[in-house]
Amino acid sequence: MDMAELNRIVQLGLGGQLRLNEPMRKHTSWRAGGAATRAYFPRDLDDFVRFVRVIPSDEPVYVVGLGSNLLVRDGGLRGTVVFTHGALKQIRIEDGETGEELVYAEAGVASPKVARLAATHSLGGAEFLAGIPGTVGGALAMNAGCFGSETWDIVEAVLCLRRDGELVRCAPNQFEIGYRHVAPRPGAETHQELRMTRDVQYWFAAAWFKLVAGDREQSRREIKELLERRIATQPLEQPNAGSVFRNPPGDYAARLIESCGLKGFAIGGAMVSTKHANFIVNTGAASATDIEALIEHVQTLVTERCGVELEREVLIVGERA
């Protein structure tokens, strides 16, 4: 997108804010990484939709919530980053088709807020979301979970924004859903109608969560206990991106990493947490290059010593410096 195209978009009078060379370290929980060529901060969901419709179809677009599962390389991102947190913030109780209460939450809503609203309305099943540090959009995209529960366990429907600017409502059965994995289900007739395929870029804009009747005080106690467990077991006092690797079948990534003696191992300012081996922390001055090098070192050593290839849970994007 050249300056003439950029000026044309600015003059359209969109409601959000467009910035150039936005430092991504300010928008990721690792507090590291290069700059995005362009950044757009929409006013709300409607503004996000309008922005997607007017930008060139070949412009690379990245959508970021709280950046809690993301590493942007030090060379930065070539394209436009859209930030949903603080913009796609609508959350409310709605009636479902059969009269049940649903929690509607847009993609920029922090996951713990869904847990708290559900508890306030005596709805159970969403307590685990209090332990997920990202937004609803990120939780949907990766089927985030903790302590035995996963996001899509409670999804009634999702609202998707296609790259062509169309909003479509989709049911869970239109997706392949697995452990930290979500993708359009191939071959379904509904996908042909909605043009939701693996080759069409889309983003989760909102979700409706179907919960069960619960007890307000019991839900609040569960949320409190879950948060206490997080504080006790995770290095929340240092910049991190949550669990770096997926747990392999029948085992735990943290156990494998610790068995290799990697707790406390550091490259530059990046260190394997001494509190939880599946966390890599920024000790103060880590570059994205440090963090990526440490990720690769952990993978190599675990493969050599344990015969297990760890898969990343975090997303790495951008250009190398």
Side-chain angles (χ1 to χ4, degrees):
M1 187 160 57
D2 58 24
M3 286 305 297
E5 188 68 27
L6 183 63
N7 289 334
R8 181 189 70 80
I9 291 173
V10 171
Q11 291 168 5
L12 289 174
L14 295 168
Q17 182 182 22
L18 186 66
R19 300 180 192 169
L20 301 181
N21 299 316
E22 182 69 12
M24 289 300 295
R25 67 179 181 276
K26 295 167 54 177
H27 304 286
T28 61
S29 60
W30 253 321
R31 298 292 181 259
T37 308
R38 285 165 292 278
Y40 188 67
F41 299 82
R43 181 175 57 192
D44 51 27
L45 176 55
D46 289 340
D47 189 56
F48 180 21
V49 172
R50 289 195 296 272
F51 180 75
V52 169
R53 288 175 178 170
V54 299
I55 60 175
S57 59
D58 60 349
E59 170 75 358
V61 177
Y62 304 86
V63 175
V64 174
L66 287 168
S68 58
N69 195 49
L70 178 67
L71 180 65
V72 178
R73 292 187 173 111
D74 293 316
L77 281 175
R78 303 294 177 262
T80 299
V81 178
V82 179
F83 293 96
T84 61
H85 184 59
L88 276 65
K89 58 185 179 182
Q90 294 297 312
I91 179 171
R92 57 182 177 264
I93 301 294
E94 293 187 355
D95 290 333
E97 293 181 358
T98 58
E100 75 278 18
E101 288 186 322
L102 304 176
V103 176
Y104 169 82
E106 290 182 345
V109 173
S111 296
K113 192 171 183 178
V114 177
R116 292 194 297 270
L117 180 69
T120 299
H121 288 267
S122 299
L123 296 172
E127 293 85 358
F128 74 96
L129 289 174
I132 296 175
T135 57
V136 167
L140 291 169
M142 65 173 294
N143 193 22
C146 63
F147 302 114
S149 297
E150 294 180 324
T151 302
W152 282 80
D153 293 343
I154 58 173
V155 171
E156 171 74 7
V158 291
L159 187 65
C160 296
L161 175 59
R162 289 200 314 250
R163 185 62 176 81
D164 61 6
E166 291 299 314
L167 283 170
V168 292
R169 179 169 172 149
C170 301
N173 63 11
Q174 293 174 238
F175 296 88
E176 289 180 347
I177 301 165
Y179 173 62
R180 306 298 177 263
H181 168 80
V182 179
R185 189 180 299 280
E189 291 183 3
T190 49
H191 280 146
Q192 293 174 10
E193 294 169 5
L194 298 174
R195 300 195 301 283
M196 290 283 292
T197 70
R198 295 176 187 273
D199 300 322
V200 175
Q201 189 177 20
Y202 69 95
W203 306 280
F204 292 112
W208 289 266
F209 296 104
K210 185 175 182 179
L211 305 171
V212 297
D215 178 88
R216 180 183 308 179
E217 295 309 316
Q218 175 62 27
S219 291
R220 286 175 173 171
R221 283 194 296 271
E222 288 184 24
I223 290 171
K224 183 174 182 291
E225 291 170 3
L226 186 150
L227 293 177
E228 289 173 349
R229 288 172 65 187
R230 282 192 69 218
I231 292 170
T233 61
Q234 298 177 9
L236 304 184
E237 69 282 0
Q238 295 174 293
N240 68 82
S243 295
V244 176
F245 302 104
R246 300 179 182 184
N247 287 324
D251 209 337
Y252 294 95
R255 189 198 70 79
L256 293 168
I257 296 167
E258 187 169 357
S259 74
C260 294
L262 285 167
K263 267 190 169 182
F265 182 85
I267 294 179
M271 183 181 75
V272 176
S273 170
T274 56
K275 198 171 190 179
H276 193 307
N278 199 15
F279 282 62
I280 288 176
V281 298
N282 183 343
T283 61
S287 66
T289 301
D290 292 339
I291 295 169
E292 186 171 10
L294 185 52
I295 289 172
E296 292 173 351
H297 177 77
V298 169
Q299 287 176 307
T300 299
L301 205 61
V302 170
T303 299
E304 289 176 354
R305 296 188 180 179
C306 305
V308 177
E309 295 185 5
L310 291 179
E311 295 183 48
R312 283 199 327 266
E313 192 169 304
V314 296
L315 179 64
I316 299 177
V317 297
E319 308 289 328
R320 297 182 188 276

